[in-house]
Amino acid sequence: MLVFLEFALAVVTFVALRFITAPYGRHLREGWGVTVPARAGWLVMESVSSLLFVVVFWSGPRRTDLVALVLFAMWQSHYLYRAFVYPFLLRGGRRMPVVVVLLAIAFNVLNASINAYWIGTLGQYPVGWLADPRFLIGVALFASGLTLHVWADRKLRRLRASAGDGYHIPYGGAYRWVSCPNYLGEIVEWTGWALATWSPAGLAFVVYTVANLAPRAIDHHAWYHQRFPEYPAKRRALIPYVI
């Protein structure tokens, strides 16, 4: 039932974000109520996915299974970065609306719970699953996506450090082809997770990830073009040569 709820949320989120640009980051604007420091907002809302996953997973009967532990480590590798590293790399002074934080917490409670419950309780992964092509491809995609995601974040930080505060056009690497390689990396990550877990919970997560990040990538891309007349015309928003 909760998996179906996440699929439904994906549809609602995609439709809503095609009409409303989520008001945080470069798109922060008045009219969205009380705000909090972005660093605190990211730490609180992303830590839910890490900490709640620990609680639900370690309450399950499969918490000591080898494959389950590998999947647990994959999940934590992403969310430990998002919750306890990324927020402290943000520039000071940035803020985000409380409503954005609360909506993110609500989703993360749902998503972390169903994925941790699947891995720790429902999923049945013999040791031989480690050699299954679905698992191997999934892990490769997950690692590649996480690497791209972290690299893209680092690229933007270095650009601000070298070119001065504010926003600038990033060049090089995956930025040659898309405006948002960090979002592309996340989508690749969770596609890998869905394959490696071969689960409805993993599928629901990657569908929601696309529904959430694709509209935001399109908004980012349009923002770049509006702000910088010289922005590369052939660069796409999210998928090279496609969109």
Side-chain angles (χ1 to χ4, degrees), residues 7 10 13 18 20 24-25 44 61 73 83 93 106 117 125 177 191 198-199 205 207 212 215-217 219:
F7 279 117
T13 298
R18 294 306 295 128
I20 303 171
Y24 64 92
V44 170
Y117 188 70
Y125 301 105
W177 298 287
T191 299
W198 203 248
S199 66
F205 189 13
V207 169
N212 183 39
R216 188 157 181 86
D219 289 338

Side-chain angles (χ1 to χ4, degrees), residues 6 45-57 67-83 107-119 142 146 189-190 193-194 196-197 199 201-206 209:
E6 188 159 334
M45 68 191 190
E46 295 294 85
S47 64
V48 168
S49 287
S50 175
L51 300 177
L52 183 59
F53 198 95
V54 170
V55 172
V56 176
F57 175 82
V67 177
L69 287 171
V70 173
L71 294 170
F72 173 83
M74 288 169 60
W75 181 279
Q76 293 297 338
S77 69
H78 174 88
Y79 279 108
L80 289 175
Y81 167 74
R82 291 298 290 173
F107 171 75
N108 287 338
V109 166
L110 170 65
N111 187 55
S113 296
I114 63 175
N115 276 277
Y117 188 70
W118 179 272
I119 301 305
F142 185 90
L146 179 59
E189 269 188 85
W190 299 119
W193 172 261
T197 63
S199 66
L203 179 61
F205 189 13
V206 72
T209 299

Side-chain angles (χ1 to χ4, degrees), residues 125-158:
Y125 301 105
V127 174
W129 182 250
L130 295 174
D132 190 284
R134 291 166 292 182
F135 179 81
L136 295 174
I137 294 171
V139 170
L141 287 174
F142 185 90
S144 299
L146 179 59
T147 299
L148 176 59
H149 176 66
V150 174
W151 173 87
D153 285 347
R154 185 180 182 186
K155 178 75 172 178
L156 291 178
R157 289 196 310 275
R158 287 188 167 184

